[in-house]
Structures are given as structure tokens and as C-alpha cells.
Amino acid sequence: MSRFVVGIDLGTTNSALAFVDTTEATEDLPAPVRSLPIPQLVAVNDVAERPVLPSFLYLPTEKEFPAGSIDLPWKKKPDRIVGTFAREHGAKVPARLVSSAKSWLSAEGIDRASALLPWQAPEDVPRVSPDEASAEYLGYLKDAWNAAIAGKSADDRLEAQQIYLTVPASFDAEARERTVAAARSVGLEQVTLLEEPQAAFYAWLSEQGDSWRKRVSVGDLILVCDVGGGTTDFTLIGVAERDGDLELNRLAVGEHILLGGDNMDLALAHAVAETIPGGMEGLDPSQRIGLTYACRNAKEALFSDPGLKSATVSVLGRGSKVIGGAIKAELSRELLHSVLLEGFFPKCSATDQPARGRRIGLTEIGLPYAADPAITRHLARFLGRHSGATSAAGAAARPTAVLFNGGVFRAEGLRDRIAETLADWGGEPIEVLAAPELDLAVARGAAYYGMVRRGKGIRIRGGVPRSYYVGIETAAPAVPGVPTPIKALCVVPMGMEEGTEADVPGSQLGLVVGEPAEFRFLASTVRREDAIGTVLDRWSPDELSELTPLVTSLGEQAGEEGDVIPVRLHSIVTEVGTLELWCEGTKDAGRWKLEFNVREPAGA
């Protein structure tokens, strides 16, 4: 095993790295979790350490900066800039600034491998793919680690360590696989993925030590409310008892909600624009992007300094008045809280549902943001859908405690609004679990989880967080213009533990061999009662969502091209969370494997 266990939070807005040096452990005390200060450009000719690495990539022109002025301790003449200076300078030149790569990495309906960032940049600006931008951030963290920790020791380089890389709980399989691929592209091979809300809870466990058992009781239901730069994630963790000791079980995860700090920055930009002559309509597209980035920086400044009453927002002018024509405004704390509280955290009832919004026939290709910005209404929907996670069947889940995660919740007023809303829904106060260092919690929790995997801590149990189904083509007469309907066969029920396997009961199926065939997979976060072998003839879009299909060719030696041979299915959930679906011949010997990642894909 590696000397270090490393946790990396590859965030939409900020990335962070934490680690455990296992040689520091003693018989009485575990090794501490530490965060890595990250050296980065903060201005021209100025490299300084910061606790996090802003997830921004600036693409400079060839002669934009003087020679040597953007050099790094480990790299001379970099052709790209990452981190604080990329964010600050890029706010003035937004057409060359890549941001929110993580959101694009998870966006469905686009080619995520294509070079599309910076979004809507002019033709003469080079572009990168979301994968490439993610690899830039991971590569930067690798270089910073190797310079600060490894030195000349090959065994201590980041490439040689066990790495736990976090992703939103709602990331689909393709986004997870692309995250792993980005890590591998910079030489990080020993990578396991961990869901961010779980990582945040592991950070809380790490801080509490053995005293966590005094903070919670059997029957408690803990909500992890994670609002990051690009996504909103909800997770429910239950406290149970086994053999006289407390244990933790992850009971439910939310669906993918593309809603977070990016949306808030845009809302703030519109609010600030109302104080500028001409408003938002008076700004060109580049200035609008610049205003959004400037509002993001102002928001971060107000979050970081509670004593600050306002922050300046500045946008460059146009044409010959780029400098002299700069537009300046103020983002006050009062306006900040008003926009965020009323726009994103409005008071609502437990039965409210987020608005879906009417779809227009033609729409611009871009990030599929949630139609309703009200996080409280999305929370109401989540708790209402997961009534089965508690003993009160038919009633919405009622958390007894909440743990906040994400930089958005550095604002005390936003934490208070969620806690008050939950209390209103449940009729009693909600305990807020202390979550220090919100920007670092996920990375620190991931590092702690690495030690849990080595048997040095309490593990959150729960098996796979979704039920998984394979699509079965219905034997029905062909109808012109009507696609053949499919049934959904449950091959992995929700909660199936890692390291277990089972035959899929039911009648035998026909496997197409010798030619490329499409295998369709579906998943559900709410159908927790479906047992393995359950067949669904119909379902609503709210119950099942289709995943990226797998196209492959099986059984080239089993028969002629296009033959159909009878098989039965056998499911295995491996220790690292991959699903192996075996097709076993019932007449002739033969086994064929379909492998699909369902949790923590480590690249089997």
C-alpha cells in the first residue's frame, strides 16, 4: 500500500487536496488528515500559496504577458494558467476563460469529448474539452504535490499514491468514467471515486472522532445538503444499531440537479446590472460574461469576510475605451442575501414541487440547468420521493439533523433558511452538525475515507445507491414507424452490497451474438422495493432514467452472425462497485460479460 492516502475534491469552482501520511499513525492515535496549501499565480510575477485551487483555466495569447512573469516553481513558460490569477484576470477577458468544466463534464446531449470551452468564444480563441480542462486541474495538483511533498522520491510522487477522487452523487456513469479518464491522462492510475456528500460526512466523522456516537442516536435521519458551484446534491444517512453498536447507512441519493453557484452568479449579475445605466441590455455578450465573473468574485469576497458590507464589481469597457470606459458597481451584502434567499432558498411547504418550465421547440445548446432555481422546492421533492427510506411509509422523509457542504453555505443566512424550512416541515428543531472549512471538507473526507478502506474508521454502509435494470426487447409484431417497446429487468436491486452476487430469476432470454448489439441500461433512485428479477412493463420518467447504452459484440464463436442463443443472467457487484452482468448459455457452455460501472469505478 502507498505511504500516503490522498483525497482530491475536483470542484466546479474550487479544487482541493488533502492527505494522510500513514507513517504518522501510532498504536493509540490515527494519523492526522492534512490539507495541502497550493502554490499558484495570484498576480503577474507573484506566486503564493492558497488553501484551494480555483477551477479556472485561462488561455493566454502568445505575447500577452512578459517573459517569465507567469512562470511556476516547477514549470517555465506555461502556455496555460490555472487557479487564482486565471480567475481574476479571466474575469476581465472572459472570452479566454474556461470555467464550470465539471458541469459540462456531466451535461447530457452534447459531445463531452469535444473542444467546446470557453463556451461561445470567438473563432480565433483555442478551445478545450471538459475532459482536458479537468485533466489540467488534476495535473496542476499533481505537480504541486510532487514539488512540495515528493521532491526526488519516486515512491512519494502523487502517481504512486492511492487517490480518492470525489464526484457528485448524481453524476451519471459517463461523467464518472470521464473523470477517471482525466486522472489517468495525467498519470494518476490508482483512483477510486467517492460521492461528495459521503465525503463531507466522512469529514465530519473525522473531526468528531469517537464522540460522533454522542451526537446521534438510533433512528436519526441525517440530511447532507450539498450545494456546489454547479450541482445540488442531497443524501440521506440513517443511524441504526447492530450488535449493540451504532452503524451508519446511506439510504437515499438525489437525482442530478444542475443548480448551484453558477446560477447564483448569473442572478447576481442581473441584479447588479439594474444599477448600471442601460442595464444588462446595454452590455455586449463579452461584458455580460465579465459581469457574471465579477459578481462571482464579489460574492466570494463577501462570503470570506463577514465584516465586509459591500464589494466592488468592475467590467471592462468596449473598443477604444477598454480601460477608461470600465463600468463599476457595488454588490452589497443586503442585495446578495436578498437575491440568494428569495431566489434560491424561498420558503415553501413540504408538498411543493419544483416548476418544470415550458420547453421551446428550438433551444440553444448549452448546460441543461434546472428550470426552477428554488433549492428548497427541489429539497421538498427529494424528501417526498424518499418516504420509503424511513419507517413512516407514505410520508415524506423527515431529517432530524442536517450537514451542510459547499462554499454557498459559508453564508450563515442560507444555512439558517434551510434549517428553518426543515423545522417547519417536521414540526421540531433540526440539529445542524458543525461543518468547519467548507471549501476543504470534501477533500479531507475523501482522505479519511481512504483510511476507512484500510480498516481505520467507521464506514457508511448501504450498497449501491440505485436499482439497475437492463432493457429487454419485447417480442411483438413490427409496426411501421413505431419503435419496438422494451421491458426493464431488474438485475441489481437498490442496496445490493459490494462483493455479492446472485442469479437473475425468470425465464431465459435470447442473446444476439456475432455482431454489434446495443445493450440498454436504466436506473432508479426511488424504486427501492424492486427485487432482482422484477420485470417492469411500463414506468414513468420520474421512476426510471435511461443511462448511456453499451454497444458491443459478444459470442463471436457461439454461432453465426446475428444468431440468438438462450441465456440466463447472473449479477455480481464487485468490491469496487462495478456491475458484472454475465450471460450464461442454457444449452451450450458459454459465458459472456457485460460490465457497467455503478459506484466508485476504479477502472477494472
Side-chain angles (χ1 to χ4, degrees):
M1 287 188 247
S2 62
R3 171 186 170 183
F4 296 96
V5 174
V6 179
I8 294 179
D9 174 14
L10 183 63
T12 305
T13 305
N14 292 299
S15 297
L17 186 152
F19 63 96
V20 174
D21 184 346
T22 60
T23 64
E24 296 180 343
T26 66
E27 291 185 3
D28 299 324
L29 296 172
V33 179
R34 292 191 171 92
S35 301
L36 179 72
I38 305 169
Q40 55 197 282
L41 274 169
V42 296
V44 174
N45 291 311
D46 188 3
V47 174
E49 291 183 345
R50 294 290 186 268
V52 297
L53 178 74
S55 302
F56 293 83
L57 174 66
Y58 184 74
L59 309 174
T61 60
E62 185 176 355
K63 298 181 179 179
E64 187 170 353
F65 299 102
S69 64
I70 59 171
D71 287 353
L72 297 167
W74 54 83
K75 188 174 185 178
K76 306 297 181 183
K77 299 180 180 179
D79 56 354
R80 294 170 177 176
I81 302 172
V82 174
T84 299
F85 184 57
R87 180 187 66 191
E88 302 298 330
H89 184 73
K92 303 172 185 175
V93 194
R96 290 185 167 271
L97 181 63
V98 175
S99 66
S100 303
K102 184 175 175 181
S103 295
W104 287 97
L105 197 69
S106 63
E108 299 179 0
I110 64 168
D111 181 1
R112 309 180 205 186
S114 63
L116 48 82
L117 303 176
W119 183 244
Q120 295 183 330
E123 293 292 333
D124 61 334
V125 174
R127 300 192 185 203
V128 299
S129 69
D131 308 50
E132 191 176 354
S134 300
E136 284 283 347
Y137 307 142
L138 291 169
Y140 191 100
L141 292 173
K142 180 193 74 173
D143 292 339
W145 169 278
N146 290 339
I149 304 294
K152 296 182 180 180
S153 172
D155 290 341
D156 290 342
R157 291 180 67 83
L158 191 61
E159 300 94 311
Q161 311 311 313
Q162 288 181 307
I163 298 169
Y164 295 86
L165 182 58
T166 63
V167 294
S170 54
F171 250 23
D172 67 13
E174 183 179 353
R176 291 171 181 247
E177 290 166 359
R178 289 195 175 280
T179 303
V180 173
R184 286 180 176 167
S185 72
V186 295
L188 306 180
E189 296 287 344
Q190 301 183 62
V191 172
T192 297
L193 297 189
L194 172 67
E195 295 165 6
E196 289 168 2
Q198 283 198 62
F201 196 79
Y202 277 120
W204 181 79
L205 289 173
S206 175
E207 290 285 334
Q208 296 296 313
D210 289 337
S211 66
W212 73 269
R213 292 176 174 85
K214 300 177 182 178
R215 299 291 309 277
V216 297
S217 305
V218 174
D220 279 349
L221 188 63
I222 302 164
L223 167 70
V224 182
C225 186
D226 183 0
V227 181
T231 58
T232 291
D233 266 328
F234 303 122
T235 292
L236 288 175
I237 297 174
V239 183
E241 185 177 23
R242 176 181 291 186
D243 299 329
D245 198 9
L246 294 179
E247 72 170 11
L248 300 168
N249 296 290
R250 191 270 318 283
L251 302 177
V253 299
E255 56 195 345
H256 188 69
I257 306 173
L258 200 57
L259 173 63
D262 289 348
N263 306 68
M264 298 177 191
D265 299 333
L266 185 58
L268 291 171
H270 279 274
V272 170
E274 293 181 3
T275 69
I276 299 173
M280 190 67 83
E281 291 74 18
L283 304 177
D284 64 24
S286 180
Q287 287 179 313
R288 293 177 186 178
I289 296 173
L291 177 61
T292 303
Y293 287 143
C295 285
R296 170 183 288 163
N297 292 342
K299 178 193 72 178
E300 296 290 330
L302 290 169
F303 280 169
S304 301
D305 184 357
L308 198 63
K309 293 184 178 181
S310 65
T312 301
V313 174
S314 180
V315 182
L316 291 178
R318 290 177 287 192
S320 61
K321 297 182 179 181
V322 168
I323 303 298
I327 302 169
K328 290 187 178 182
E330 292 291 318
L331 175 61
S332 68
R333 186 171 296 278
E334 182 180 357
L335 180 60
L336 174 72
H337 283 183
S338 173
V339 170
L340 299 191
L341 274 176
E342 301 309 319
F344 294 89
F345 298 89
K347 291 183 177 181
C348 66
S349 73
T351 57
D352 283 354
Q353 296 288 301
R356 291 184 175 273
R358 178 175 293 179
R359 300 302 302 270
I360 299 176
L362 290 176
T363 183
E364 184 180 50
I365 298 299
L367 290 176
Y369 291 115
D372 191 336
I375 290 171
T376 43
R377 285 195 285 270
H378 288 283
L379 178 56
R381 171 182 165 82
F382 167 73
L383 295 177
R385 297 186 75 197
H386 290 284
S387 59
T390 67
S391 58
R398 288 287 179 262
T400 57
V402 59
L403 176 69
F404 294 108
N405 187 56
V408 167
F409 287 118
R410 281 184 291 168
E412 183 179 1
L414 304 185
R415 299 196 302 270
D416 290 344
R417 173 58 61 88
I418 290 288
E420 291 166 2
T421 300
L422 289 170
D424 290 343
W425 294 346
E428 57 186 53
I430 295 291
E431 181 180 4
V432 176
L433 303 181
E437 297 184 296
L438 286 167
D439 286 335
L440 301 174
V442 167
R444 294 175 67 87
Y448 175 80
Y449 173 71
M451 296 306 296
V452 170
R453 290 287 291 262
R454 296 189 181 192
K456 305 293 184 181
I458 184 71
R459 184 167 184 174
I460 303 169
R461 301 190 179 278
V464 295
R466 296 167 172 81
S467 298
Y468 285 87
Y469 308 77
V470 64
I472 307 297
E473 186 176 82
T474 302
V479 178
V482 178
T484 303
I486 67 167
K487 298 179 180 180
L489 171 64
C490 181
V491 293
V492 173
M494 188 182 301
M496 185 171 176
E497 294 288 346
E498 293 86 349
T500 62
E501 57 185 278
D503 289 322
V504 180
S507 59
Q508 63 184 13
L509 303 170
L511 174 68
V512 178
V513 298
E515 67 179 17
E518 180 181 73
F519 296 86
R520 295 170 65 177
F521 291 89
L522 305 97
S524 173
T525 61
V526 295
R527 295 190 64 96
R528 61 182 64 251
E529 302 302 325
D530 287 348
I532 188 169
T534 299
V535 177
L536 304 179
D537 294 309
R538 60 179 66 87
W539 55 86
S540 71
D542 288 340
E543 291 181 298
L544 266 67
S545 58
E546 187 158 2
L547 307 176
T548 303
L550 172 65
V551 178
T552 188
S553 180
L554 299 177
E556 286 81 356
Q557 309 302 321
E560 297 294 331
E561 181 177 323
D563 280 355
V564 178
I565 61 174
V567 296
R568 293 189 183 277
L569 301 181
H570 182 80
S571 295
I572 302 174
V573 178
T574 68
E575 290 290 347
V576 296
T578 57
L579 164 62
E580 294 181 1
L581 183 60
W582 287 89
C583 304
E584 301 178 340
T586 59
K587 291 185 178 180
D588 300 309
R591 299 179 79 229
W592 301 272
K593 182 176 73 171
L594 294 171
E595 187 171 301
F596 196 78
N597 291 324
V598 296
R599 189 189 65 81
E600 299 174 3

